[in-house]
Amino acid sequence: MKDTVFKGIIAYPITPFDKEEKVDIVLFKKLVERLVAAGSHAIAPLGSTGVLPYLSDEEKEAVTEATIDQVSGRVPTLVGVSNLTTEKTIYHARFAERAGAAAVMIIPMSYWKLSDDEIFRHYDAVASKISIPIMAYNNPATSGVDMSTGLLKRLLEIPNVTMIKESTGDIQRMHTLKKELGEEVAFYNGSNPLALAAFAAGADGWCTAATNLIPELNIMLYDAVQANDWEKARQLFYKQLDVLKFIVAKGLPRAVKAGLHLLDQDAGYLRSPLQPLEEKEVVHLKQILNDVTQM
Amino acid sequence: MKDTVFKGIIAYPITPFDKEEKVDIVLFKKLVERLVAAGSHAIAPLGSTGVLPYLSDEEKEAVTEATIDQVSGRVPTLVGVSNLTTEKTIYHARFAERAGAAAVMIIPMSYWKLSDDEIFRHYDAVASKISIPIMAYNNPATSGVDMSTGLLKRLLEIPNVTMIKESTGDIQRMHTLKKELGEEVAFYNGSNPLALAAFAAGADGWCTAATNLIPELNIMLYDAVQANDWEKARQLFYKQLDVLKFIVAKGLPRAVKAGLHLLDQDAGYLRSPLQPLEEKEVVHLKQILNDVTQM
Amino acid sequence: MKDTVFKGIIAYPITPFDKEEKVDIVLFKKLVERLVAAGSHAIAPLGSTGVLPYLSDEEKEAVTEATIDQVSGRVPTLVGVSNLTTEKTIYHARFAERAGAAAVMIIPMSYWKLSDDEIFRHYDAVASKISIPIMAYNNPATSGVDMSTGLLKRLLEIPNVTMIKESTGDIQRMHTLKKELGEEVAFYNGSNPLALAAFAAGADGWCTAATNLIPELNIMLYDAVQANDWEKARQLFYKQLDVLKFIVAKGLPRAVKAGLHLLDQDAGYLRSPLQPLEEKEVVHLKQILNDVTQM
Amino acid sequence: MKDTVFKGIIAYPITPFDKEEKVDIVLFKKLVERLVAAGSHAIAPLGSTGVLPYLSDEEKEAVTEATIDQVSGRVPTLVGVSNLTTEKTIYHARFAERAGAAAVMIIPMSYWKLSDDEIFRHYDAVASKISIPIMAYNNPATSGVDMSTGLLKRLLEIPNVTMIKESTGDIQRMHTLKKELGEEVAFYNGSNPLALAAFAAGADGWCTAATNLIPELNIMLYDAVQANDWEKARQLFYKQLDVLKFIVAKGLPRAVKAGLHLLDQDAGYLRSPLQPLEEKEVVHLKQILNDVTQM
């Protein structure tokens, strides 16, 4: 298999803000520490959960450095560096490499829908400027473009594009990728409610923000998969399914922040226009988290 | 669990026609015999595969009787009796029960999109006229209506609605049903490319026309699932995936007929407007079937 | 222009049933008479409004004969003869021609999604058996297949396919058809809420069930279009828009029946599983009809 | 009617780049001059056409100032100030006001899908910081969120939200807005292929990048509408329809740049990842532009 550095549970921290909506780096480091301490197999700052697109260049750099400093080599770090322009994507990818990231994650953000050639050139331009591996991320719901199996095949010809994260929410896509791209590539599932089906399909890891709230259940599910104990995997999946569906439905940054607070962990503020969940939504989440704990 | 009579591989025969496009009952019985002999756990005539909506009342009755006669109690029989009008659905459901069907399958066909109340009344009216169990079938692609989890919950209050067949093609739906409707209900997967994911999610059976072409692979997959050997299940699934995707993409009656011919089994003619696959499609299917056999 | 026989408001009667859900031909003829008397430019029985797919062969024949008898040549008659099988479509098309229909309307009904070749063969087979013109009808929401501009172009090569009815609900489709198929073909709009936009795009007629309830407004709109008085056309369109949206949202047979009753016109019963509108829906329709009348 | 400052053809300039992909302000001013000279009724920089999201804060400010300087009060200016965060949106809206913009256009950009309350707060926060009118822009394809009629009604309660631009591409939406929001609000169509249907529905203006290529046809269409000469309006619409469809299909910045070059007007470079149209696409555009000129 090509050079892959991740397996298991890849945990996505939120980016907390202070009351004035400035990034709170001290609190961020505490939230990263929780994820590492809970047994996460990797840490992935500056994803959708980390509200990457809402941050300035300087804020992205501070978050990158804070993550690598806090994780301190205990597990590998996957840094999100996606940007609308190629120039800025290169800029952040190089920064992440210099800062010590194990790999970078890149989604082809597109205000104007990009052609296959434009996407290929974009990845190729970035890849040629760094030495660490790239995880190509497909999520049409946020990027506005759905990368075909054929395009992903092309991207994998770029030497340091070695991993694929699939978040269309359609398990049939994962099957097709696995079947057509072969065993040489590492696949990561980015759709929380597909966790079980993706592992059944052969995914190497699960990219998730749920680890902020239910790390044991996430990791036990992966352990059951590794042990080929599918009856247990299924039980663990259904046990956590309501949490997975809730955080996806409400938006990961909002839902994780609310959940952390319910778990007595300060999670700071959101940046406008994002607002906290409504009270009734928080009550619903509390009920769900209680059910999970009691089961 | 409520009264359920099926598990494992529920095989759907095609309805073959002669050169004048009349139903060929003699050939149909041969095709049913192949399915039983191959180890299918149940036989389901008059499904989409059996081109139910293209048949006259008399033809449906002849196919029902021929199935039950040929199967002769070796495995249970699930007869499709769906119809646009409630009156005709009752008529065919009663016929199937008298003929000896173990259960009937009903999809809420709808030229005019039906309300939840209309669908409930439809099932309730039919259920009150028969004693055998009903499998409620959700497939918005063919019925034009997508039954919500809430509606399915209502349908399950009708005593002899005991089973649900799910064919939206979205594994998340199966998870939701399983989670919300509970362990009391039997679930069957009707989406071929979701066979692995549905078993992972806890499906009790797989409704499929693929058994006409690759019965061993279908049954071995189910056996691996039963043995909790998921590594093997995954390998078997990927081995047959191209066949599953091909028959779905090309239309089950056309694809099964072409496949049977490639396997040296006469499958008769189609009824117009349905036409045989084009030559290049047949060549493609031949390649896929060869690959499956060699692996 | 090819042989076209319709223009203006093509009115679709419902098919009323008696208490035992048998077709009520006497009442049907009264409803047809209302449409003719109101000034409709053509009468189209056995459309979706007339619940064609819910009727037996004998019932379709009775409705066809009753229409032609009642209209008695005052305006042309367009009879729906669509059927899942080619054989039955030919059967009903020939019946309509013998009975005296001016033309037949055919939608490519498809339980199994038909290929372009299958659709072409279907139309060609029917067309070769009759001498009267055919209106090809595109409505993917009910037929399950969306005929491309290229396919419609092929269909128009068949001599007696001379008219196109477009009901995708997307005005851009009408623009494309008009632009690519040219001035030689007659186009009819089958999407009620697009009435104004379709006339702006150059449609020759409007196929509608609204004429059962608001014939004056339908006809006045067409008259304003003919007079190139677009300010008036727009006012008339907005005046009737709520009625158009209501009957589409609730299902034409249910909504027209309820509306006729509000107008003190008996409209009989529906055939199960179709049920009458709920009381609150009827109240809403009453309000809408009152508003239209007062304006 | 509330305070509205635009009518007719609102022209969107592209933002040209030099070879190093830096904004070319000198060339930008020439392109703005062309639009004013051609008779555009307003100029709208920093829209999707102007690749707003690909620009830095400083670049946006330079483009804003250059527009207002060049237009020099001959027609009103509508400046795009949308941003993912509320803080940045306020920042750019205030800048535009100080620079002399007649109004600002704001689309609720959303990486994380925003709730109605979040969108309302966003507009309200911006509106409270400026005195000039705001055009609320609905385009789910680029913003990721589809503002309902009910939400737009709420937004119109904010005193300086006075105009709505609708770009869903569904003419039925325009009808509903017009019907439910009333005559007090100004509506602008942002979907090029709906130009005719939107004017038929009562739109006050047409926001378009086509004016960079075919200003006469755009303006003649509006003039015909104003003169209530719909036969002419229809002819003019069909004459330019292929251009409208081409520029939408290929992406406005790419297509306008290619078209300007075909018209012997330098349009600079694009910013990566956006790349020029392929040669065969340029040939196709040349053919379309030739056809339009000859007709």
Side-chain angles (χ1 to χ4, degrees):
Chain A
M1 193 182 285
K2 290 178 84 169
D3 184 26
T4 60
V5 284
F6 305 106
K7 67 173 182 55
I9 305 302
I10 301 166
Y12 283 66
I14 61 167
T15 300
F17 298 88
D18 65 19
K19 212 167 176 177
E20 280 69 43
E21 301 196 4
K22 303 296 173 201
V23 174
D24 185 339
I25 288 291
V26 175
L27 179 52
F28 175 73
K29 292 178 87 167
K30 281 189 198 155
L31 297 176
V32 167
E33 182 58 31
R34 282 181 82 250
L35 293 172
V36 176
S40 305
H41 303 111
I43 304 295
L46 298 174
S48 297
T49 306
V51 292
L52 172 72
Y54 299 74
L55 304 181
S56 71
D57 291 349
E58 297 71 28
E59 291 169 332
K60 292 174 191 174
E61 294 171 16
V63 166
T64 300
E65 288 177 330
T67 306
I68 290 161
D69 179 51
Q70 185 66 34
V71 171
S72 194
R74 289 175 287 174
V75 293
T77 306
L78 172 67
V79 177
V81 298
S82 310
N83 200 287
L84 264 182
T85 70
T86 304
E87 185 193 11
K88 283 279 183 187
T89 309
I90 291 170
Y91 174 85
H92 290 294
R94 294 184 66 169
F95 186 91
E97 177 172 27
R98 283 198 309 274
V104 293
M105 182 173 76
I106 299 177
I107 189 170
M109 284 188 174
S110 62
Y111 187 87
W112 284 106
K113 194 172 149 42
L114 299 175
S115 72
D116 280 10
D117 278 344
E118 287 173 335
I119 292 173
F120 180 82
R121 278 164 169 265
H122 182 66
Y123 276 97
D124 197 40
V126 181
S128 70
K129 302 291 189 188
I130 58 174
S131 307
I132 54 177
I134 294 173
M135 183 186 287
Y137 176 24
N138 190 43
N139 188 348
T142 57
S143 74
V145 61
D146 190 0
M147 294 193 282
S148 68
T149 307
L151 174 55
L152 290 172
K153 210 173 225 170
R154 275 183 72 190
L155 294 184
L156 289 167
E157 291 169 10
I158 302 171
N160 49 340
V161 175
T162 62
M163 303 170 279
I164 290 175
K165 176 178 171 189
E166 225 296 299
S167 295
T168 57
D170 178 6
I171 193 63
Q172 303 194 38
R173 180 68 63 95
M174 187 77 81
H175 293 148
T176 301
L177 289 178
K178 195 82 184 166
K179 179 94 184 176
E180 298 194 13
L181 301 187
E183 296 294 322
E184 293 306 297
V185 189
F187 291 99
Y188 301 90
N189 168 44
S191 174
N192 284 305
L194 287 188
L196 180 71
F199 280 132
D204 297 281
W206 175 16
C207 298
T208 181
T211 313
N212 290 287
L213 305 182
I214 48 169
E216 301 82 2
L217 284 169
N218 298 160
I219 292 164
M220 285 168 70
L221 171 55
Y222 180 66
D223 289 344
V225 170
Q226 289 293 96
N228 206 24
D229 187 349
W230 278 88
E231 190 59 32
K232 190 173 179 191
R234 177 158 55 232
Q235 285 170 8
L236 286 162
F237 171 70
Y238 278 113
K239 195 166 171 180
Q240 63 194 288
L241 180 56
D242 284 346
V243 179
L244 304 180
K245 289 170 73 173
F246 183 92
I247 63 177
V248 169
K250 300 301 179 182
L252 298 173
R254 296 187 200 92
V256 167
K257 178 186 136 53
L260 286 171
H261 188 255
L262 288 170
L263 297 172
D264 288 323
Q265 168 59 52
D266 179 21
Y269 295 82
L270 295 162
R271 177 167 278 180
S272 298
L274 298 181
Q275 301 295 330
L277 294 188
E278 294 177 23
E279 188 51 33
K280 65 178 179 187
E281 294 172 316
V282 174
V283 169
H284 184 198
L285 177 56
K286 187 176 185 178
Q287 182 61 47
I288 291 173
L289 287 175
N290 280 347
D291 288 354
V292 163
T293 315
Q294 293 171 355
M295 276 163 76
Chain B
M1 193 182 284
K2 290 177 83 170
D3 183 26
T4 59
V5 283
F6 305 105
K7 64 171 185 56
I9 305 301
I10 301 166
Y12 283 66
I14 61 167
T15 301
F17 298 88
D18 64 21
K19 211 167 177 176
E20 279 71 41
E21 300 195 4
K22 303 297 172 199
V23 175
D24 184 339
I25 289 291
V26 174
L27 178 52
F28 174 74
K29 292 179 86 167
K30 281 189 196 154
L31 297 176
V32 167
E33 182 58 32
R34 281 180 82 251
L35 294 172
V36 176
S40 306
H41 302 112
I43 302 295
L46 298 174
S48 297
T49 307
V51 293
L52 171 74
Y54 299 75
L55 304 181
S56 70
D57 292 349
E58 297 70 29
E59 290 169 333
K60 292 173 190 174
E61 295 172 16
V63 167
T64 301
E65 288 177 330
T67 306
I68 290 161
D69 179 51
Q70 186 66 34
V71 171
S72 195
R74 288 174 288 174
V75 292
T77 305
L78 172 67
V79 177
V81 299
S82 310
N83 200 285
L84 264 182
T85 70
T86 303
E87 184 193 11
K88 282 280 184 185
T89 309
I90 292 171
Y91 175 86
H92 289 293
R94 295 183 67 168
F95 186 91
E97 177 172 26
R98 283 197 310 273
V104 292
M105 182 173 76
I106 299 178
I107 190 170
M109 284 185 174
S110 62
Y111 188 87
W112 285 104
K113 192 171 151 44
L114 299 175
S115 71
D116 280 9
D117 278 345
E118 287 172 335
I119 292 172
F120 180 82
R121 277 164 172 264
H122 181 68
Y123 276 97
D124 196 43
V126 180
S128 70
K129 302 291 191 187
I130 58 173
S131 308
I132 54 176
I134 294 174
M135 182 185 288
Y137 176 24
N138 191 44
N139 188 348
T142 56
S143 74
V145 62
D146 189 1
M147 293 192 282
S148 68
T149 307
L151 174 56
L152 290 172
K153 210 172 226 171
R154 274 184 74 190
L155 293 184
L156 289 167
E157 291 169 9
I158 302 171
N160 48 340
V161 175
T162 61
M163 304 171 278
I164 290 176
K165 177 180 171 188
E166 226 295 299
S167 294
T168 57
D170 178 6
I171 193 63
Q172 304 194 36
R173 180 68 65 95
M174 187 79 80
H175 293 149
T176 301
L177 289 178
K178 194 82 183 170
K179 180 92 183 177
E180 298 194 13
L181 301 187
E183 296 294 324
E184 294 304 297
V185 188
F187 290 100
Y188 301 89
N189 168 45
S191 175
N192 283 305
L194 287 188
L196 180 70
F199 279 132
D204 297 281
W206 175 16
C207 298
T208 181
T211 312
N212 290 287
L213 305 182
I214 48 168
E216 300 82 2
L217 284 169
N218 298 161
I219 293 165
M220 285 167 70
L221 171 55
Y222 179 66
D223 288 345
V225 169
Q226 290 293 97
N228 204 24
D229 187 348
W230 278 89
E231 191 57 35
K232 190 170 179 192
R234 178 160 52 233
Q235 285 169 9
L236 285 162
F237 171 70
Y238 278 113
K239 193 165 173 181
Q240 64 194 286
L241 180 56
D242 283 346
V243 179
L244 303 181
K245 288 171 74 174
F246 183 92
I247 64 176
V248 169
K250 299 301 179 183
L252 297 173
R254 296 186 199 93
V256 167
K257 177 187 137 51
L260 287 170
H261 188 255
L262 288 169
L263 297 171
D264 288 324
Q265 169 60 52
D266 179 22
Y269 295 81
L270 295 162
R271 176 168 281 182
S272 298
L274 297 181
Q275 300 295 329
L277 293 188
E278 293 176 24
E279 189 51 34
K280 65 178 180 188
E281 295 173 314
V282 174
V283 169
H284 184 198
L285 177 56
K286 187 176 184 178
Q287 183 61 47
I288 290 173
L289 287 175
N290 281 347
D291 288 352
V292 163
T293 314
Q294 291 169 358
M295 277 162 77
Chain C
M1 194 181 283
K2 290 177 82 170
D3 183 26
T4 60
V5 284
F6 305 106
K7 66 171 184 56
I9 305 301
I10 301 165
Y12 283 65
I14 61 167
T15 301
F17 298 87
D18 64 20
K19 210 167 178 177
E20 279 70 42
E21 300 195 4
K22 303 297 172 200
V23 175
D24 184 338
I25 288 291
V26 174
L27 178 53
F28 174 74
K29 293 179 85 166
K30 281 188 196 156
L31 296 175
V32 168
E33 182 58 32
R34 283 180 81 250
L35 293 172
V36 176
S40 307
H41 303 112
I43 304 294
L46 299 174
S48 297
T49 306
V51 293
L52 171 74
Y54 300 74
L55 303 182
S56 70
D57 291 349
E58 297 70 27
E59 291 169 333
K60 292 173 190 174
E61 295 171 16
V63 166
T64 300
E65 287 177 331
T67 306
I68 290 161
D69 179 50
Q70 185 67 34
V71 171
S72 195
R74 288 174 287 173
V75 293
T77 305
L78 171 68
V79 177
V81 298
S82 310
N83 200 286
L84 264 181
T85 70
T86 304
E87 184 193 12
K88 283 279 184 185
T89 310
I90 292 171
Y91 175 85
H92 290 293
R94 296 184 66 169
F95 186 91
E97 177 172 25
R98 283 197 310 273
V104 292
M105 182 174 76
I106 299 178
I107 190 169
M109 285 186 173
S110 61
Y111 187 86
W112 285 105
K113 193 171 151 43
L114 299 175
S115 71
D116 280 9
D117 278 344
E118 287 172 335
I119 293 172
F120 180 82
R121 277 164 171 265
H122 181 67
Y123 276 97
D124 196 42
V126 180
S128 71
K129 302 291 190 186
I130 58 174
S131 308
I132 54 176
I134 294 174
M135 183 186 288
Y137 176 23
N138 190 44
N139 188 348
T142 55
S143 75
V145 62
D146 189 0
M147 294 193 281
S148 68
T149 307
L151 174 56
L152 290 172
K153 211 172 225 171
R154 274 183 73 190
L155 293 184
L156 289 168
E157 292 168 10
I158 302 170
N160 47 340
V161 175
T162 62
M163 304 170 278
I164 291 176
K165 177 180 172 188
E166 226 295 300
S167 294
T168 56
D170 178 5
I171 192 63
Q172 304 194 37
R173 180 68 65 95
M174 187 78 79
H175 293 148
T176 302
L177 289 177
K178 194 82 183 170
K179 180 93 182 174
E180 298 194 14
L181 301 187
E183 297 293 324
E184 293 305 297
V185 189
F187 291 99
Y188 301 89
N189 169 45
S191 174
N192 284 304
L194 287 188
L196 180 70
F199 280 132
D204 297 281
W206 175 16
C207 298
T208 180
T211 313
N212 289 286
L213 304 182
I214 48 168
E216 301 82 2
L217 284 169
N218 298 161
I219 293 165
M220 285 167 71
L221 171 55
Y222 179 66
D223 289 344
V225 170
Q226 290 293 96
N228 204 25
D229 188 348
W230 278 89
E231 191 58 34
K232 191 172 178 191
R234 178 160 53 232
Q235 285 169 9
L236 286 162
F237 171 70
Y238 279 113
K239 193 166 172 180
Q240 64 194 287
L241 180 56
D242 283 345
V243 178
L244 303 181
K245 288 170 73 174
F246 183 93
I247 64 176
V248 169
K250 299 302 179 182
L252 298 173
R254 295 186 199 95
V256 167
K257 177 187 138 50
L260 286 171
H261 187 255
L262 288 170
L263 298 171
D264 288 324
Q265 169 59 52
D266 179 22
Y269 296 82
L270 295 162
R271 176 168 281 181
S272 298
L274 298 181
Q275 301 294 329
L277 293 187
E278 293 177 23
E279 188 51 33
K280 66 177 178 187
E281 295 172 313
V282 174
V283 170
H284 185 198
L285 176 57
K286 186 175 184 179
Q287 183 61 47
I288 291 173
L289 287 175
N290 281 348
D291 288 352
V292 163
T293 313
Q294 291 170 357
M295 277 163 77
Chain D
M1 193 182 284
K2 290 177 85 169
D3 183 26
T4 60
V5 285
F6 305 105
K7 66 172 183 56
I9 304 300
I10 301 165
Y12 283 65
I14 61 167
T15 301
F17 299 88
D18 65 19
K19 212 168 177 178
E20 280 70 42
E21 300 196 5
K22 303 296 172 201
V23 174
D24 185 338
I25 289 292
V26 174
L27 179 52
F28 174 74
K29 292 178 87 167
K30 280 189 198 155
L31 297 176
V32 168
E33 183 58 32
R34 282 180 82 250
L35 293 172
V36 176
S40 306
H41 303 111
I43 303 294
L46 299 173
S48 297
T49 306
V51 292
L52 172 73
Y54 298 75
L55 304 182
S56 71
D57 291 349
E58 296 71 27
E59 291 169 333
K60 291 173 191 175
E61 294 171 16
V63 167
T64 301
E65 287 176 331
T67 306
I68 290 161
D69 179 51
Q70 185 66 35
V71 171
S72 194
R74 289 175 287 174
V75 293
T77 306
L78 172 67
V79 177
V81 298
S82 310
N83 199 285
L84 264 182
T85 71
T86 304
E87 185 193 11
K88 284 278 184 188
T89 309
I90 291 171
Y91 174 85
H92 290 294
R94 294 184 67 169
F95 186 92
E97 177 173 26
R98 283 197 310 274
V104 293
M105 181 173 76
I106 299 178
I107 189 170
M109 285 188 174
S110 61
Y111 188 86
W112 284 105
K113 193 172 150 43
L114 300 175
S115 72
D116 280 10
D117 278 344
E118 287 172 335
I119 292 172
F120 180 81
R121 278 164 170 265
H122 181 67
Y123 275 98
D124 196 41
V126 180
S128 71
K129 302 290 191 189
I130 57 173
S131 307
I132 54 176
I134 294 173
M135 183 186 287
Y137 177 24
N138 191 44
N139 188 348
T142 56
S143 75
V145 61
D146 190 0
M147 294 193 282
S148 68
T149 307
L151 174 56
L152 290 172
K153 209 173 227 171
R154 275 183 72 190
L155 293 184
L156 288 168
E157 292 169 8
I158 302 170
N160 49 340
V161 175
T162 62
M163 302 170 278
I164 290 176
K165 176 179 171 188
E166 226 295 301
S167 294
T168 56
D170 178 5
I171 192 62
Q172 304 194 37
R173 180 68 63 95
M174 186 77 81
H175 293 148
T176 301
L177 289 178
K178 194 82 184 167
K179 179 93 183 177
E180 298 194 13
L181 301 187
E183 296 295 323
E184 292 306 297
V185 189
F187 291 99
Y188 301 88
N189 169 45
S191 174
N192 284 305
L194 287 189
L196 180 71
F199 279 132
D204 297 281
W206 174 17
C207 298
T208 181
T211 312
N212 290 286
L213 305 182
I214 48 169
E216 301 83 2
L217 284 168
N218 298 160
I219 293 165
M220 285 166 71
L221 171 55
Y222 180 66
D223 288 345
V225 170
Q226 290 294 96
N228 206 25
D229 188 348
W230 279 88
E231 191 58 33
K232 191 172 178 192
R234 177 159 55 232
Q235 284 169 8
L236 286 162
F237 171 70
Y238 279 113
K239 194 166 172 181
Q240 63 193 289
L241 180 56
D242 284 346
V243 179
L244 303 180
K245 289 170 73 173
F246 183 93
I247 63 177
V248 169
K250 300 300 180 182
L252 298 174
R254 296 187 199 91
V256 167
K257 178 186 136 52
L260 286 171
H261 188 256
L262 288 169
L263 297 172
D264 288 323
Q265 170 59 53
D266 179 21
Y269 295 82
L270 296 163
R271 178 167 278 181
S272 297
L274 298 182
Q275 301 295 330
L277 294 188
E278 294 175 23
E279 189 51 34
K280 66 178 178 188
E281 293 172 315
V282 174
V283 170
H284 184 197
L285 177 56
K286 186 175 185 178
Q287 183 61 48
I288 291 173
L289 287 174
N290 281 347
D291 287 353
V292 164
T293 314
Q294 293 171 356
M295 277 163 76

